[in-house]
Amino acid sequence: MTSKRDIIFKEFDFSKKPELKTDLLHTIQYAIKSAISQRDPVMQWIWQPSINAIDDMCAAAEDPTDVVLIGFNLAPEMIYAMGLKPVCPEGLSFLCPTEYLIPYIDESHKAFIPDHLCSFLSGSIGMAISNAIPKPVAIVHTSQPCDNSIAQSTALADFYGVEPYIIDSPYYDNDEAYDYFAVQIKEGFRYLEQMTGKKLDIDRFREVMARSQRAHELVHEINELKKRKPCPIPTGAILRQLSIGMYGQTGSEHLVRWLEKHLEDARERAHKGIGGQHEEKIRTAWIYAWPSFEWTIYEWLGKKYGAIPVIFQASEYFYTPKSSGDFDDLCRSLAIRILSCPMGRSSRGHLDYFVRDSAYWCKEWSIDAAIFAGHLQCKANWSVAQITKEVLMDELGVPMLSFVVDALDPRVTSTEQMLGYIEPFLEMVAENKELEKIG
Amino acid sequence: MEVLDQLEALASENPNSAAKAWKDDGKKIVGYWCSYVPQELMHAAHVFPYRIRGTGARSTGRADVYMAAVCNCTYPRAALELALDGTYDFIDGMVGANECDHGRRAYEIWVEKKGIPFHHFLFVPHKIDDSVLAEFQKELLKFKVHLENRFHTFITDDALFKSIRLYNENRRLLKTLQEGMKKEQPLMKGSELNTVIVAGVCTPPEQYNQLLKQLLEDLRHRKPMDRPRARLMIYGWIGDNSGFHRLVEDVGGLVVADNCCYGTRDFWEPVETDGDPLKGIARSYLYRPTCARMMGELNSRLAYAKNMIQEFAVDGVLITRHQFCDIHGSEAFSLKRHENEMGVPFSAPLIQEYLGEDAGRLKTRIEAFIEQIESN
């Protein structure tokens, strides 16, 4: 099959029993840096968020005295503001090359974590019980975006024997909900002070939030440019890197620097009227998961169909945190920022958030085809797929493909199987566009 | 026993005779999804709180269009099926909650695709402390006002206290029945008691109260059960029928205790009857024995289980859940880690499908667990 496609996809050999790595973090670090070093040197900056993320985690592991475990829907600003080191276990699942991750997922199942728990989280639990993650001094979790993360939080707190601090996420997005969340953030600082012995430095909090604000502003500017045709981004891979940065590094200097580079590159491309390496024929929105065990697939879809990923909905942001600098206001701004993070917003709240957000991105960014790669274990989002499909077609005439995948584990749906779903769909979209041209 | 037959009919029919009679009287019924939704408030608004269940569903074809069967629990899919096929047309309103992702989405899809004259979403916090208590109290106030507006009534404190006392009486009677399971040879099977508990969520509390009193009276004349092979506790999620209990009984076991939603958690502690009734309800519902959805409360759940094990002389604990339930599913991780501290063996997780297709497999596993207990 691969020879017919004139491209070689990764082949995973699951017949060999993979091993748990004794030094997983540095193994991942080496794997990421090796893979990036083989890319075109001019393009290597694109993958900097992955390098920053794993470097930060390795540094935390080397001196774990200030490590705070956080859920991926808790922005790290709170932890940075305390001068502590955030480690997001599911972020590590996201960064981990597939062949290293699989044994940790399996390890969690052996310890009675159900196989229907999100693999980002089961992988992270497997890493924790294999002592691949530094033991934290504190744990801060929100109750968003889903039951999977609630379950993971309970399991990790139990395993480490650390009393967690929970920030309860409201169902709605309104002033009352933000106040509820903000009060808990304030309490959360007290918890962190008690657990770590460190004191909150309000000036550092202001600086962190200013950088967070700047990051969001840059993302909005980039997004505006993405409305252009062709979409002025070098490769779809940059959307994933943006996701890694915005979920795990908001409030850091290195994220701001990277986003500035991203914006500069997008401006230049927009100015020249160019997109990435492939001619844009079909603008796609990946409105949910983005399978990440095989990145070549996106290049292939660009090459064969001119299908360019413009939107990766799980990392598209609406809100820019703004604050007067007053402590209460900083906490409230952070509350809105956390509750507005894309997965938290669309999965914890009413299904309309997901549906209307999908319609918004597809409409405003002139999307031709929406792809709902439904992460198998995501109950909250799989229950909005059909309604979203109906709305996109009825209101915008945008077709949506949905199929089951595990974003991290190719044993559920292989690359070949994914292409079996996606290729006929894109062919249909291309034909329809041709028909429209003919009129 | 005639009263048990009546309770069995109330639990197993949907709509049951109580709902039909209520409607015949021209009165309103409001369905609710989760045991964290206080029935007292609805009762005080003169509506009949009727728990949304999957009772009567034979398939989930319509619901599966919206709730993918690849990852969603059969229980809410079965309930949604009954909404989409018109079975639930007899209810006048519905209250959803953020109980779990499955139930929450089923409620939302129901409202979106089927529609219902009155619907209210009750936000239930995922943690317990005084700051969220105030929030939950506010949520209950919004719910109260919404009920009042919709059903053209005014819920006075007196009416609320009256409802609280009525439901507390039901809780007391259920606890008395449950405590009967402490006997070496109880007067009821676990499946019978569970059926009685389920009947309570779909019967007007006044009627239920009378039935429970009658049942307690009748039990005085009943012959004790045979001594079981093993006295078992169920920990997790079993849904709204007694099928699982019957499987246990089929292989000679007896369920004497539980930590389940349709079980002791719901009636073990009464609602407070002094002070502000809304605050009392908020505090009592939040601080009662917790569901696995509550974060940071694992230790309290373990303590509850340990207490049940000791009080009811439990020989072993069956960990169970419906397929795709993450919150109960992952609790097994901790339960197995703490098994040695609990003094009795815990089974590996027993995974069920709501529509009960896998009874044979489950029965084999339960019997194997009992044999394991016997061999120790």
Side-chain angles (χ1 to χ4, degrees):
Chain A
M1 292 291 282
T2 50
S3 59
K4 278 186 200 167
R5 291 198 173 97
D6 188 27
I7 191 167
I8 297 170
F9 293 121
K10 270 189 211 167
E11 288 191 7
F12 299 99
D13 183 0
F14 296 114
S15 64
K16 290 179 190 166
K17 184 174 164 42
E19 291 175 4
L20 302 174
K21 298 288 170 189
T22 50
D23 184 359
L24 179 68
L25 290 175
H26 288 99
T27 303
I28 297 173
Q29 187 182 40
Y30 178 76
I32 288 173
K33 290 185 177 178
S34 298
I36 294 170
S37 69
Q38 290 164 32
R39 304 254 178 196
D40 176 354
V42 178
M43 304 276 273
Q44 284 179 11
W45 67 270
I46 291 168
W47 287 270
Q48 192 60 40
S50 286
I51 293 174
N52 293 339
I54 193 65
D55 282 353
D56 285 352
M57 286 203 212
C58 286
E62 278 153 22
D63 177 15
T65 48
D66 292 336
V67 167
V68 179
L69 280 198
I70 59 169
F72 81 111
N73 269 241
L74 175 78
E77 287 95 326
M78 239 181 117
I79 315 302
Y80 288 144
M82 289 288 297
L84 299 164
K85 297 170 190 160
V87 169
C88 175
E90 51 270 44
L92 201 52
S93 298
F94 199 37
L95 292 171
C96 190
T98 306
E99 55 273 31
Y100 301 137
L101 177 65
I102 298 299
Y104 292 98
I105 293 174
D106 292 350
E107 198 67 8
S108 78
H109 298 164
K110 286 183 209 161
F112 299 103
I113 290 296
D115 59 8
H116 48 76
L117 193 82
C118 172
S119 52
F120 287 80
L121 308 175
S122 60
S124 72
I125 294 170
M127 290 173 190
I129 62 178
S130 307
N131 297 317
I133 300 175
K135 184 177 190 290
V137 289
I139 298 177
V140 184
H141 261 262
T142 63
S143 58
Q144 66 181 23
C146 59
D147 290 348
N148 290 283
S149 43
I150 289 171
Q152 181 225 25
S153 165
T154 301
L156 288 179
D158 181 38
F159 175 74
Y160 285 118
V162 172
E163 190 69 31
Y165 182 74
I166 307 301
I167 306 182
D168 187 37
S169 306
Y171 179 69
Y172 297 103
D173 274 71
N174 55 32
D175 283 343
E176 204 177 316
Y178 303 148
D179 290 342
Y180 175 58
F181 203 83
V183 166
Q184 296 179 77
I185 288 176
K186 281 196 242 176
E187 286 295 322
F189 281 120
R190 272 197 276 277
Y191 161 85
L192 287 170
E193 287 179 343
Q194 282 168 7
M195 298 296 279
T196 66
K198 291 208 166 186
K199 290 282 168 206
L200 172 66
D201 177 341
I202 185 75
D203 289 332
R204 185 166 47 207
F205 190 17
R206 286 190 191 105
E207 288 165 17
V208 166
M209 289 304 290
R211 286 194 288 268
S212 179
Q213 178 178 334
R214 178 71 185 134
H216 284 80
E217 288 165 352
L218 289 163
V219 167
H220 293 311
E221 285 191 64
I222 292 164
N223 272 342
E224 281 305 307
L225 290 169
K226 278 164 55 182
K227 289 179 176 172
R228 305 270 187 97
K229 292 182 180 179
C231 179
I233 58 171
T235 160
I238 205 165
L239 303 184
R240 181 175 188 256
Q241 294 305 310
L242 189 136
S243 174
I244 290 168
M246 291 300 287
Y247 275 102
Q249 298 159 26
T250 39
S252 70
E253 285 177 12
H254 50 54
L255 178 64
V256 171
R257 281 199 300 273
W258 181 79
L259 286 167
E260 283 170 347
K261 169 73 180 160
H262 185 355
L263 177 61
E264 181 191 326
D265 180 78
R267 274 189 187 138
E268 197 176 321
R269 285 170 191 278
H271 180 69
K272 291 179 183 169
I274 59 170
Q277 60 193 115
H278 304 296
E279 184 190 353
E280 179 179 298
K281 295 177 184 165
I282 300 173
R283 291 167 69 86
T284 61
W286 289 73
I287 60 172
Y288 181 40
W290 206 350
S292 58
F293 50 79
E294 174 50 285
W295 278 90
T296 317
I297 193 172
Y298 305 103
E299 298 302 326
W300 168 245
L301 296 174
K303 182 178 174 185
K304 183 169 181 188
Y305 299 99
I308 306 301
V310 174
I311 294 293
F312 174 28
Q313 192 169 314
S315 63
E316 301 292 356
Y317 288 75
F318 289 94
Y319 176 74
T320 295
K322 285 181 185 143
S323 167
S324 63
D326 163 72
F327 179 60
D328 285 352
D329 200 46
L330 285 165
C331 290
R332 196 169 191 281
S333 178
L334 183 56
I336 306 174
R337 176 263 182 283
I338 295 172
L339 292 171
S340 305
C341 85
M343 267 208 74
R345 174 182 158 83
S346 65
S347 299
R348 78 158 199 285
H350 190 275
L351 60 81
D352 263 359
Y353 291 125
F354 189 97
V355 176
R356 299 321 313 175
D357 288 358
S358 300
Y360 169 72
W361 295 112
C362 286
K363 183 180 178 202
E364 299 298 325
W365 275 260
S366 308
I367 295 300
D368 300 308
I371 298 175
F372 181 99
H375 189 49
L376 175 60
Q377 304 98 355
C378 186
K379 292 83 186 173
N381 283 353
W382 258 115
S383 298
V384 296
Q386 177 61 26
I387 292 178
T388 305
K389 184 183 282 192
E390 292 170 4
V391 167
L392 293 183
M393 180 50 74
D394 293 349
E395 295 184 9
L396 306 173
V398 172
M400 184 188 110
L401 169 72
S402 59
F403 59 92
V404 169
V405 70
D406 183 313
L408 300 180
D409 188 345
R411 294 175 297 183
V412 173
T413 303
S414 67
T415 307
E416 292 292 334
Q417 287 171 314
M418 272 204 293
L419 287 172
Y421 298 126
I422 299 170
E423 289 190 330
F425 173 69
L426 291 177
E427 280 163 16
M428 178 201 75
V429 173
E431 279 173 24
N432 286 347
K433 279 179 75 91
E434 281 303 312
L435 288 172
E436 277 173 25
K437 274 187 203 165
I438 295 166
Chain B
M1 290 168 74
E2 196 187 329
V3 68
L4 266 181
D5 292 341
Q6 287 178 48
L7 287 157
E8 164 74 28
L10 288 165
S12 60
E13 292 166 5
N14 190 19
N16 60 19
S17 59
K20 288 174 187 165
W22 192 270
K23 292 295 283 185
D24 287 347
D25 286 347
K27 295 187 283 188
K28 304 293 185 189
I29 299 179
V30 171
Y32 67 100
W33 275 87
C34 174
S35 65
Y36 278 94
V37 177
Q39 297 170 71
E40 289 86 347
L41 270 169
M42 293 178 274
H43 180 264
H46 312 297
V47 299
F48 171 10
Y50 188 94
R51 187 150 178 191
I52 301 294
R53 293 164 296 133
T55 308
R58 296 282 174 269
S59 66
T60 56
R62 294 175 185 85
D64 293 354
V65 172
Y66 296 102
M67 292 189 74
V70 292
C71 61
N72 278 300
C73 174
T74 332
Y75 175 77
R77 279 161 44 213
L80 181 60
E81 181 75 13
L82 297 177
L84 297 174
D85 76 9
T87 301
Y88 271 117
D89 285 354
F90 68 94
I91 64 173
D92 303 283
M94 176 168 62
V95 186
N98 49 336
E99 50 190 297
C100 67
D101 290 338
H102 313 260
R104 172 170 67 95
R105 286 291 192 234
Y107 161 84
E108 292 168 351
I109 293 167
W110 182 332
V111 172
E112 185 83 11
K113 302 309 291 186
K114 172 79 178 173
I116 190 158
F118 166 80
H119 54 91
H120 182 91
F121 190 91
L122 183 73
F123 168 70
V124 182
H126 276 98
K127 68 174 188 180
I128 304 171
D129 65 28
D130 285 348
S131 67
V132 303
L133 173 64
E135 185 67 19
F136 192 42
Q137 194 181 338
K138 278 198 280 183
E139 281 293 315
L140 293 181
L141 180 60
K142 284 185 219 162
F143 181 32
K144 175 176 175 277
V145 170
H146 200 178
L147 283 167
E148 287 173 335
N149 290 342
R150 175 68 199 185
F151 296 105
H152 311 295
T153 185
F154 185 66
I155 303 174
T156 62
D157 283 1
D158 282 349
L160 206 41
F161 276 128
K162 196 174 162 193
S163 296
I164 290 170
R165 281 193 288 272
L166 183 60
Y167 277 96
N168 276 350
E169 177 65 358
N170 286 342
R171 290 186 180 99
R172 187 188 67 76
L173 294 168
L174 279 173
K175 195 167 178 178
T176 306
L177 283 170
Q178 182 71 47
E179 283 179 334
M181 303 306 282
K182 289 179 179 172
K183 291 180 181 164
E184 208 171 326
Q185 291 176 269
L187 298 171
M188 292 182 85
K189 294 178 189 173
S191 59
E192 291 173 329
L193 177 53
N194 187 254
T195 299
V196 172
I197 292 167
V198 173
V201 303
C202 53
T203 305
E206 298 85 352
Q207 181 184 349
Y208 187 54
N209 202 307
Q210 293 307 311
L211 288 167
L212 291 179
K213 285 177 181 163
Q214 183 64 50
L215 177 61
L216 280 163
E217 178 61 30
D218 289 2
L219 282 174
R220 293 171 56 175
H221 311 293
R222 200 182 207 198
K223 195 178 140 206
M225 301 288 126
D226 290 339
R227 192 169 280 113
R229 284 175 70 187
R231 297 168 61 83
L232 300 171
M233 174 174 173
I234 300 177
Y235 191 120
W237 167 246
I238 53 164
D240 59 14
N241 63 58
S242 308
F244 190 80
H245 293 72
R246 283 195 291 274
L247 294 180
V248 173
E249 288 156 11
D250 285 350
V251 293
L254 183 70
V255 177
V256 296
D258 69 71
N259 183 0
C260 292
C261 183
Y262 288 95
T264 56
R265 284 208 309 261
D266 208 14
F267 59 79
W268 212 243
E269 302 293 341
V271 170
E272 296 173 11
T273 51
D274 52 355
D276 177 354
L278 221 47
K279 188 171 186 179
I281 290 174
R283 184 162 34 223
S284 302
Y285 271 76
L286 268 190
Y287 282 84
R288 68 185 186 174
T290 63
C291 169
R293 75 180 283 286
M294 286 297 196
M295 302 172 80
E297 291 298 321
L298 176 68
N299 289 339
S300 72
R301 289 194 287 279
L302 293 175
Y304 183 72
K306 191 167 186 175
N307 185 49
M308 282 279 166
I309 289 166
Q310 289 168 349
E311 280 199 25
F312 288 82
V314 168
D315 299 315
V317 177
L318 293 163
I319 302 174
T320 184
R321 70 174 188 271
H322 281 173
Q323 177 67 311
F324 305 131
C325 177
D326 294 317
I327 46 181
H328 288 294
S330 295
E331 192 98 331
F333 168 83
S334 297
L335 293 175
K336 293 300 282 183
R337 276 171 46 78
H338 293 276
E339 185 176 0
N340 289 342
E341 301 154 27
M342 307 300 266
V344 296
F346 279 54
S347 74
L350 295 156
I351 302 159
Q352 308 171 58
E353 281 289 349
Y354 176 68
L355 294 178
E357 300 93 341
D358 49 1
R361 179 182 60 79
L362 284 169
K363 198 190 284 190
T364 303
R365 299 245 342 250
I366 295 166
E367 184 157 31
F369 182 62
I370 291 176
E371 284 173 9
Q372 181 195 334
I373 292 170
E374 288 172 333
S375 68
N376 290 334

